[in-house]
């Protein structure tokens, strides 16, 4: 399988789960990548402080789609039905918001 890591240098890296070899570096975010989620179909989603959720194409390594949000993304989850949930910064308040696609 493949293991993914998000980084403060704005990249996402995919690694071989078998031998730890770097497979690919995904670029596109403009601020640190805070969270990743993988859908049941293998689609990779990333959330960042750049106020974007990116949807990545596995074959090309490019962003297939960019989902704009209104604040930094701190958490992502995909449910079994394929809905994507993003936990957003509360702009200094105790509670943030959840956006669903």
């Amino acid at each position: 399988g493949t293991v993914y890591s998000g980084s403060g240098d704005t990249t996402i890296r995919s690694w071989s789960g078998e031998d730890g070899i770097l497979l690919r570096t995904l670029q596109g975010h403009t601020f640190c990548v805070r969270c990743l989620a993988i859908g049941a179909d293998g689609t990779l989603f990333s959330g960042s402080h750049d106020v974007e959720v990116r949807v990545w194409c596995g074959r090309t390594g490019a962003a297939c789609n960019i989902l704009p949000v209104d604040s930094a993304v701190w958490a992502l989850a995909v449910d079994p039905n394929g809905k994507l949930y993003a936990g957003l910064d509360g702009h200094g308040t105790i509670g943030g918001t959840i956006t669903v696609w």
Side-chain angles (χ1 to χ4, degrees), residues 20 30 44 92 101:
T30 58
L44 176 66
W101 288 274

Side-chain angles (χ1 to χ4, degrees), residues 69-87:
V69 291
D70 63 4
S71 62
V73 183
W74 282 90
L76 291 172
V78 181
D79 75 13
N81 296 317
K83 284 188 180 178
L84 176 66
Y85 299 82

Side-chain angles (χ1 to χ4, degrees), residues 34-54:
R34 286 285 180 201
C35 49
L36 302 170
I38 300 174
D41 64 355
T43 300
L44 176 66
F45 301 92
S46 61
S48 171
H49 274 219
D50 63 7
V51 192
E52 291 179 345
V53 172
R54 288 184 175 248

Side-chain angles (χ1 to χ4, degrees), residues 7-20:
S7 178
D9 72 0
T10 74
T11 65
I12 300 162
R13 291 180 175 85
S14 62
W15 309 86
S16 167
E18 296 174 11
D19 55 20

